[in-house]
Every structure is written in C-alpha cells, then in structure tokens.
Amino acid sequence: MTNRTLELVGPVAPQHRLDEAAVLSYLKRSVRNVPASADTLKISQFGHGQSNPTYLLELPSAHGSDPVRFVLRKKPPGQLLKSAHAVEREFQVLAALGSPAAGASVPVPAVHALCMDPSVIGTPFYIMDFVPGRIFTDPCLPDLPPAARTQIYSSMAGTLAALHSARLPQLQKDGFGRPDSYCRRQVERWAKQYEASVKCIGAEFREEDARMRGLIAWLRGNVPGEDAAAEGAMRGVVHGDFRLDNLVFHPTEPRVVAVLDWELSTLGNQMSDVAYCCLPYHLPPSQPGAMLPSLGVTQLPGGPPAGALPAGIPSEAQFVRTYCDEIQRLQGASLWPGDTWRFYVALSLFRGAAIFTGIYQRALQGNASSRRAGQAGRQVSGLIACALHVLHSPLSIPALPPPPVTSIRALGSGIAGGSAGGSAGGSAGSSSSLPVGLAPSPRAEALRRQVAEFIVQEVLPIEGILEAHVVGEARWSIHPVVEELKGKAQQAGLWNLWLPALDAGVPLTPVLRECQSRGLLGAGLSNLDYAHVCKEMGKSVWAPELFNCSAPDTGNMEVLLRYGNEQQQREWLVPLLEGKVRSCFAMTEPRVASSDATNIEARIERDGDHYILNGHKWWASGASDPRCKVAIFMGKHPERAAPSGKHNPHSAPAHRQQSMLLVPMDAPGVTVVRPLLVFGYDDAPHGHSEVLFEGVRVPKTSVLLGEGRGFEIAQGRLGPGRLHHCMRLVGATERAIECMLDRALSRVAFGRPLGGNESVVRDTAECRITLEAARLLVLQAAAELDARGNKEARIAIAMAKVAAPRAAQKVLDRAIQVHGGGGVSSDFPLARLWVAARTLRIADGPDEVHLASIGKKEFKDWKRRMGKGGVMARL
C-alpha cells in the first residue's frame, strides 16, 4: 500500500495529547523561521509505527499558502526500559548526517531543536522538518508497475549503502556507540530486554519462551569472528530499523528523500542493517492482523503456502548484490556476507521478536504509540518460528558472491523477480548455456516452456492448413482455427506477453487498471525475459498472432499505452488488447526515402476542430486484414515547415514538424489500393498495403501526445519493436537449424545420410556459431533496454537489428540448400522464413542506417578517449 506522508496523520490519541500552547511557545523560542507573531498551532499524530509518538505541527503561512509544517518526535509516557526510546540519540545522528562532514549524501530531515526538559510536554522531544512524499507499507508494492518496483528496491539498496559510507568520527568521540562486538552486544541487549518484558506478560508465553531461549543460545554460539573488529569495512553508523516503510520516497520519482525512525541507531556491524532490511524475504505470507508485511516467498512448516516474488521485485541475492556493488563504488571495499548471512538474518528476526514482546508489554500498560500495538503478541511466535526456519534451511543467498551483473542496477527489471541462473551442462542454444544475467528468470522460463509446448502441440500441426488457406480463394478471410487458438492461448495465460513491465512513466489510468484487472496487460515481463519467450514464437510465422504478440499491433498498442490519452485508450487500445481488432502503421511513402522521417510528405492541415489528411502510403502492414480498424498515420504540418529557401517565423525544427494521428480505416477518403508482394508473397490475410488518404477528416482529439510529437513517438515505438523482430528471428534461425539437422539425418545421397558429409557438419557448426553470436547481441540489447531505457540502449538495439536478420538469412540459406528443391517450396517453412528475414534488413530501418549510428558512436567514443590522454587512455 502507498501512503502520502500527509495521509498518515489523524487525531491525537487521548494518552498522547500535548499542551498546544507549550509546544507553540517552544517553537517560537527555539526554531528559526517560526515568527513570534504565530498564534495558532494544529497538532495531528502519525499513526504509522509502534515506537516514539510522532506528531505533525502545522502553523499558518504568512503568505496564505500551504501551512508551515514541522514534525515533533518524543518519548512515550509511562515506565520505559532503560536506554529505550532515546530521542536524543535520534537527534544526534540526524544532526551529524545532515552536516557536510558526513562525506556521503544520506537523505535525512533537517533537525532544528532538541528539548530534554520534561516539564515542557512531559517527556524529551525534538523538532525536525516535515518531508512530503510517499511511504510504502507493503514490500510487494502492489500499487506500482514492475519496473517501478525494481527502481524502488534499487534506491533502497543505494540509500543504505550511502548511509553505511558516511564517516562520522565525532559520533564515536561523543560516545554514540562502539563499533566492535556489535552483534554480540546486540544479542545480550535484546536478550536482557526480552527478559524484562516477558516477566510482565505471564505464563501464556511459556512455549514461545522456551523456543526463544534456544534461539538466544544459538546466536551466542555463532557470532561471526569478524564482529569483534573495531575498524575496517562495515564498521560505522547502523540505522537499526532500516526497512521500506521507514523511508520516504519522492512524490513522483523512485528515489528516497528521507530516512526516518533512528531510535535504534548506533555504531557497529553494518551487515546487520542489510539483513534486517531483507526480513520480508523470510517472513511467511502475511495473514490478517500481521504487523510485518512480507513478500510471501517463505513457507513455514504447517503455514500458508509461499508464492512467487511479485514481478519487478528483485530476489534477496540480487538486492544484497546491489548493496555490495554500491559499497564497492563508494568505499572501494569488496564484500559479501556468504555463510554468515544465516546469523545476521536470525539476529534480525530475534531482535524483532524481542521488540514485539516489548510492544505487547507496553500495550498492556496502554503506553504503545500504535493503535495496532495490541496485536504485537501474536507476532512474537511467528518471528521465532521464522528464525528457527532460517537456522535449519539452506542458505538463502549464494555462499560465494555472484557476478556483479546479477545486481538490480546491472539489468534493471530484466533480472527482477527471480534467479537468473540455470543448470549447468545445457545444450547449445538452451537458456542454461547463457551467461549469468542473460538467462530467463524462473517465471519467464516457465512461460517459455508453455509457449514452446503450445506451438508444438497446437501450431506446427496446422501450418499446412494455414499455408493452404492463404494461397486459396478465401485467403483474405480469417481461418476459424486462428480465433480458436487465440482463445486457447488467452485461457492459458499466454496473452499479450510482449507487454513490458510498466514503468513509472506510464500512469495507470482507469482504463489500464480495468485492463489489468481483466488480465489484459500481460505477465509484466522485462524485455530480457520476453526475449526468451518471443524466440519460441519466431519458430512459426503463424504463432505471434495467436498470442496477440504480432507486429504492427504490438508497436501500435505500446504507442497507445505510453502516449494515448484515456479516451484513445478506451476506444482503440482495449479492443487491440482483447485481440478483437487489428491495426496498421502508415508512415512509409513511395515518393521519399522514409527511413529519414523528416522526408515525410503526407500533409496534416487544420480545419477548425478537425484535421484534413492527405497522403500516399505504402508498406502499411496489416491494412488489408479485414479486422484492421485503425491506422496510426504520420504526417507533416505544412505551417510548421519553412518552404525551401524561404524564412517562416512559425516553422519548427525538422524533428518537430510531424504528428501521429489515429485514423479509423472506414473513414471517408481512406482507400486500401492493393497488397504489395514480398518476393511473390502477398502475406494474406494480413498484407503489406498501399493506402491513399485523400481529404480524410478526423477530429483534433485524434492526435497522439500533441502536435509536432510524431518523430518522438516514432523513436519510442521503434526501439522495442525492432528488438521484437530480432527476438523472433532468433527463433526462426533456431528452427532452421532444427530443420537442417532433421533433413541431414533423414535424407540419403550417394549411399550415406547428408549428415555424414563433412561439409554439412562444418556448415552446421558455422550456423550454430552465427546464431549464438546474434542471440547474445539480442539478449544484451534487451538487458540494456531494461536497465537504461530506449535512448541509452539504441546502439545495442542497432547492433542486434543488423546482426539478427543477417544471421537468420545466412542460416536459412544453408538450411534451404540442405533441403534442395524442397527448401524453396511451400512444403517447408524455410522459404517463408527467409523472406521475412531478408525483409527485416530493410523494415524498421535499413542496415545502412543502423551501421551509420554504430560507426558514428565508435568514432565519437574514440575521439573522447583520445582527448583524455591520447592513445594510452584506451588501456
């Protein structure tokens, strides 16, 4: 659940009421920027948390705008355990971290005043800034799309590393804590506090008490030897309660803007903070009344079943790897907890059990801050069970550090949601033979297998039927089996798998929320994971449509998803996601080189509340399909373009003269002239068509994103779309090798199988090498697209776009040769697959455009390196 910080306040609890006049008087005396004339103060109480009562103070603004806000945090009333709820320590560490001497950028609220005089409001307190933003109370982040979840966890890991990199020697001088033997002292401290709390509860804790004492004994006997060190890596400030819901995130961006709740902070062994932050990985699925939400991936004996990590949430190992990478970047220290991780996690769970025992004891006295504190007693037993489960289960992270590529930031959401590893010894081309970080997540691998099985069982057996249909008299109609198999794929959950995990830049409009609830937004796969799934679809030219994963619909749907408004999404995106209609993309023109979008001649002219469109388009894939209901039309505004050799004060830059509009295919003036032939294929019932737009009148609400944004949309559309073509080509090339192997082993010439011919064996090896090189480029481009976005990944995508069609064309050509006359016939899939591969050296940007981009980047990088030290700079 996501909460705005202002949403977490409510009326002050009766036992925690403050003397408003005393607080206002103190503010005037002690806090800068509080005017002496201030005469009113509104006090509310934050309901989140169980420790020190925390209040929102609101003073009227002198300018009549939003009120001036501060936060007051105080000790709770009543009898307290010694050293507990030390607000003065919170103030001390916040003041130190907020100073330039900290040496690291740790987001903390600015503190203004500390009052140790209990006569003011009854207990010591301090005043700090109010920080607006978001607080996430559920580690599953259900309100966010998968890509944003990945970014949130990445920011959390980076913030913790920044905190642990702060250098605050003055704190040690001031007696803030001792770095040495921190964990040993923690065991004793919390054991002592547990003893003090449990005495006040009664006999109902007898069974839990026995298990707790066994846990304490294990911890005392297994403190890591490294804990005794007073200096070195991982020795410094420890937050003590660093977790997701103690962080304030920016209102709209996935970054931490404030770390809260410093009550338990000290100096010590910082790995304990990392383990405590990872507790949601070790808690069982949350039950009603649970005070510590979990990720639900741990099942305790007799407990509720565990589930998979939500899409976009990194695995525990990935989170720890990201933290360690940041520590190395900030401190130059290489570290990994390895076998000691078990101790740190068990210590965190033990400490949680001790704290909740204290909360429950205070609830019985009526002193706890949280309204839910009375539920704390039920948490103790579960935390003890989790700790014992950790002791007797396999280590939850690798004993040895995984490669840095497995961190969250290395591949973004490409690795989020599961392990990226595979078993050793896989055959060439299998996911298990891939480098760590490029293999599919377990969830994606399961989907890949499902898709592969569906294709083998449902698609390949009917390829002959579909091939015969598209060369017959009824070829411009849809064979009934297509819609039947689309229904089966959707029921199997294999629908719209192309849809990327929505990132923070795609707002969840009501339309998208509705689609999400209906299961129309796919599986939330990263581009890397989809690459593995899409490869299987590429093995048959008929397969992508059956999963609603075929071009140009995928690109057009992504345009509507990212750039369409709610009305456009409801009218066109929803039926496309449902697979009820199809679409085309009208950009390329016969009279100009359309790979340069600034050449577009189609005109968009204003006419009141409408536009008049005129243009001659071709290669509008899908326009001849009887289900095609909408075209995305790209044209140029004449008033934005200066006539050649003349000055136009209203003209726009060359890349801001184009717009994209949604045009119904049945609009008057839209004429599908003919389907163009591609090496003799008309690709019925889909078609690649010549289309005329003559005086087509559409409302201004048809424009996507805004006037002059067409080129921007085109670039955003083409990146993922180009890569989808490459993914499918990898599958097509894989099938070519399979067909070649099958033919070479079954076909006999001159007394022996073709596979016994040395040249065929050598060519097969060359084909495998060619395919694997292209496949790795495609996967790397997908990983970069996930981690860095379309713009930064453009060169990687360009390399894949050149390499994949070339590889497919080369391998398919060799497979055709092995098949002899059959290879060029329609009795085998190779000729149709070869045509698609050759076409893709032109479609979505010809090779020459991509090669130019790659080459220019090489020269640019070289010049930059030469400018920073000459030839030796490259070493």
Side-chain angles (χ1 to χ4, degrees):
M1 182 177 179
T2 307
N3 294 286
R4 302 285 172 174
T5 44
L6 283 176
E7 296 172 351
L8 295 171
V9 297
V12 178
Q15 69 271 28
H16 295 137
R17 285 178 182 157
L18 304 178
D19 183 336
E20 293 184 5
V23 175
L24 180 58
S25 176
Y26 181 83
L27 288 174
K28 291 179 180 180
R29 296 193 311 270
S30 308
V31 178
R32 187 181 301 176
N33 298 328
V34 174
S37 60
D39 56 358
T40 60
L41 173 67
K42 179 182 177 182
I43 302 180
S44 309
Q45 186 173 10
F46 287 93
H48 178 63
Q50 289 80 41
S51 54
N52 294 325
T54 307
Y55 305 84
L56 176 66
L57 312 179
E58 296 182 285
L59 294 156
S61 169
H63 306 290
S65 56
D66 288 342
V68 178
R69 297 185 174 99
F70 297 99
V71 171
L72 182 152
R73 191 160 161 86
K74 69 185 286 288
K75 284 190 176 185
Q79 184 178 356
L80 303 174
L81 296 172
K82 185 180 178 181
S83 77
H85 308 280
V87 293
E88 64 274 17
R89 291 177 61 81
E90 293 189 29
F91 181 88
Q92 185 180 7
V93 71
L94 285 169
L97 286 168
S99 71
S105 180
V106 183
V108 293
V111 290
H112 297 286
L114 169 68
C115 179
M116 295 300 294
D117 182 0
S119 68
V120 179
I121 59 172
T123 63
F125 66 94
Y126 68 93
I127 306 293
M128 61 180 168
D129 275 350
F130 168 77
V131 180
R134 298 173 292 169
I135 292 180
F136 301 104
T137 55
D138 187 341
C140 294
L141 303 175
D143 297 334
L144 297 184
R149 295 172 188 161
T150 304
Q151 294 168 331
I152 291 293
Y153 272 75
S154 178
S155 179
M156 179 164 61
T159 300
L160 184 57
L163 165 62
H164 288 171
S165 300
R167 291 294 170 252
L168 305 170
Q170 190 61 42
L171 284 181
Q172 189 168 358
K173 292 179 182 178
D174 294 342
F176 191 74
R178 288 171 44 203
D180 62 297
S181 301
Y182 169 80
C183 292
R184 187 173 296 281
R185 286 185 282 108
Q186 283 285 295
V187 173
E188 299 307 324
R189 174 191 175 182
W190 293 109
K192 185 176 181 180
Q193 292 213 10
Y194 169 76
E195 290 279 2
S197 298
V198 80
K199 287 179 182 178
C200 305
I201 295 177
E204 66 266 25
F205 264 51
R206 186 173 300 152
E207 182 178 341
E208 286 81 0
D209 184 52
R211 293 192 296 160
M212 187 73 152
R213 294 182 188 281
L215 176 58
I216 292 171
W218 186 91
L219 290 169
R220 284 171 170 160
N222 288 274
V223 177
E226 66 198 38
D227 186 61
E231 297 180 350
M234 304 308 293
R235 296 297 178 272
V237 178
V238 173
H239 182 276
D241 197 14
F242 192 94
R243 62 179 195 252
L244 184 65
D245 61 340
N246 275 335
L247 306 177
V248 179
F249 285 82
H250 187 277
T252 58
E253 300 172 14
R255 60 182 175 89
V256 178
V257 293
V259 182
L260 307 178
D261 204 348
W262 293 82
E263 177 194 344
L264 300 175
S265 59
T266 185
L267 303 179
N269 185 336
Q270 295 169 325
M271 190 56 72
S272 61
D273 261 353
V274 187
Y276 186 78
C277 188
C278 288
L279 284 190
Y281 292 99
H282 296 275
L283 299 172
S286 299
Q287 299 299 298
M291 299 173 70
L292 288 177
S294 81
L295 288 166
V297 294
T298 293
Q299 181 173 3
L300 300 179
L309 275 174
I313 303 292
S315 71
E316 184 180 24
Q318 290 158 0
F319 181 83
V320 177
R321 175 75 261 184
T322 302
Y323 166 84
C324 291
D325 287 350
E326 282 298 289
I327 288 292
Q328 186 165 33
R329 183 180 70 84
L330 294 168
Q331 301 181 25
S334 180
L335 64 120
W336 183 254
D339 291 330
T340 63
W341 187 246
R342 191 189 314 278
F343 170 86
Y344 290 114
V345 173
L347 173 62
S348 297
L349 289 162
F350 158 68
R351 195 188 70 178
I355 290 172
F356 274 106
T357 304
I359 293 173
Y360 180 58
Q361 177 255 323
R362 294 203 316 277
L364 297 179
Q365 295 180 343
N367 292 338
S369 167
S370 172
R371 300 179 180 88
R372 299 185 299 154
Q375 303 166 355
R378 294 192 291 273
Q379 309 300 312
V380 178
S381 178
L383 287 168
I384 297 171
C386 288
L388 297 176
H389 179 73
V390 168
L391 302 189
H392 300 103
S393 299
L395 198 63
S396 59
I397 66 171
L400 297 176
V405 75
T406 58
S407 71
I408 306 171
R409 288 179 178 173
L411 293 177
S413 58
I415 50 82
S419 168
S423 59
S427 62
S430 70
S431 62
S432 59
S433 64
L434 288 167
V436 173
L438 293 182
S441 68
R443 181 161 169 267
E445 176 61 15
L447 284 170
R448 186 197 67 77
R449 291 178 183 273
Q450 277 186 271
V451 169
E453 184 178 352
F454 188 97
I455 290 172
V456 169
Q457 294 182 355
E458 304 284 357
V459 183
L460 298 187
I462 64 160
E463 280 189 322
I465 296 173
L466 294 177
E467 186 68 43
H469 178 75
V470 300
V471 296
E473 292 182 359
R475 66 184 183 278
W476 295 107
S477 65
I478 311 304
H479 196 288
V481 74
V482 171
E483 296 301 324
E484 178 188 337
L485 290 183
K486 284 169 64 176
K488 285 186 177 181
Q490 190 166 8
Q491 289 176 359
L494 305 177
W495 192 252
N496 288 331
L497 296 177
W498 66 272
L499 251 167
L502 301 185
D503 55 41
V506 181
L508 271 178
T509 63
V511 175
L512 294 184
R513 288 186 184 277
E514 179 185 322
C515 291
Q516 191 175 50
S517 68
R518 295 174 57 196
L520 293 177
L521 297 189
L525 296 178
S526 65
N527 287 289
L528 176 62
D529 274 346
Y530 180 59
H532 294 283
V533 178
C534 187
K535 175 197 74 173
E536 301 298 334
M537 300 180 195
K539 293 182 178 180
S540 172
V541 294
W542 314 104
E545 179 187 350
L546 305 178
F547 303 101
N548 213 33
C549 291
S550 57
D553 293 331
T554 52
N556 293 343
M557 284 188 274
E558 185 151 13
V559 165
L560 286 162
L561 187 81
R562 292 188 174 277
Y563 308 114
N565 59 39
E566 190 171 346
Q567 176 188 341
Q568 293 166 343
Q569 289 177 345
R570 190 171 296 281
E571 183 175 7
W572 297 116
L573 178 60
V574 173
L576 282 167
L577 289 170
E578 293 171 333
K580 293 180 178 178
V581 303
R582 299 207 62 180
S583 62
C584 67
F585 188 67
M587 175 179 170
T588 307
E589 299 179 2
R591 291 182 53 185
V592 296
S594 305
S595 57
D596 178 357
T598 63
N599 284 339
I600 296 298
E601 293 182 338
R603 297 168 64 87
I604 303 172
E605 297 173 286
R606 297 176 186 156
D607 183 20
D609 292 334
H610 289 73
Y611 292 114
I612 306 298
L613 314 182
N614 286 280
H616 185 189
K617 302 288 185 178
W618 70 344
W619 299 113
S621 296
S624 295
D625 192 310
R627 299 162 298 177
C628 182
K629 301 301 180 183
V630 64
I632 294 181
F633 173 93
M634 186 169 182
K636 183 179 290 185
H637 298 270
E639 69 275 11
R640 287 175 168 262
S644 179
K646 296 182 180 181
H647 174 69
N648 177 6
H650 304 292
S651 66
H655 296 99
R656 295 281 293 180
Q657 298 173 5
Q658 306 82 12
S659 292
M660 287 193 185
L661 296 94
L662 296 163
V663 181
M665 290 298 288
D666 59 1
V670 178
T671 304
V672 178
V673 178
R674 57 172 176 146
L676 299 162
L677 299 183
V678 185
F679 290 104
Y681 289 96
D682 60 16
D683 279 349
H686 186 59
H688 310 281
S689 305
E690 181 181 359
V691 185
L692 289 176
F693 294 82
E694 298 173 300
V696 179
R697 185 179 179 86
V698 295
K700 281 191 173 181
T701 54
S702 299
V703 71
L704 284 160
L705 195 58
E707 280 193 12
R709 308 289 293 275
F711 190 86
E712 176 185 344
I713 297 172
Q715 292 305 301
R717 179 188 188 275
L718 284 176
R722 286 168 175 158
L723 204 51
H724 292 174
H725 283 310
C726 298
M727 296 169 184
R728 287 187 287 267
L729 282 171
V730 170
T733 312
E734 187 71 60
R735 188 174 183 191
I737 293 178
E738 293 170 358
C739 291
M740 184 168 62
L741 290 168
D742 184 66
R743 185 73 164 184
L745 291 174
S746 62
R747 198 74 163 179
V748 176
F750 304 102
R752 61 175 177 172
L754 294 177
N757 189 308
E758 185 177 344
S759 67
V760 174
V761 173
R762 184 178 63 250
D763 286 351
T764 304
E766 293 282 358
C767 288
R768 173 55 66 186
I769 292 169
T770 300
L771 169 57
E772 290 307 303
R775 181 164 73 126
L776 289 174
L777 278 173
V778 172
L779 294 177
Q780 181 61 34
E784 289 198 28
L785 183 59
D786 286 326
R788 305 171 64 194
N790 190 15
K791 184 176 180 180
E792 294 300 318
R794 66 190 186 282
I795 298 301
I797 295 172
M799 288 192 284
K801 178 61 171 61
V802 172
R806 284 183 176 182
Q809 191 180 351
K810 176 181 177 180
V811 173
L812 281 160
D813 184 77
R814 187 56 192 150
I816 289 171
Q817 196 70 16
V818 170
H819 280 71
V824 295
S825 75
S826 60
D827 289 359
F828 294 89
L830 301 173
R832 191 179 281 276
L833 290 173
W834 183 91
V835 167
R838 182 60 186 88
T839 303
L840 283 170
R841 291 187 59 194
I842 298 173
D844 279 0
D847 285 3
E848 289 75 14
V849 170
H850 300 303
L851 290 169
S853 297
I854 298 165
K856 288 176 183 177
K857 179 68 162 52
E858 286 294 309
F859 276 98
K860 181 179 178 181
D861 289 348
W862 176 252
K863 289 176 182 178
R864 186 177 65 249
R865 290 199 297 269
M866 289 293 288
K868 293 183 178 180
V871 176
M872 292 301 294
R874 73 183 189 273
L875 302 179

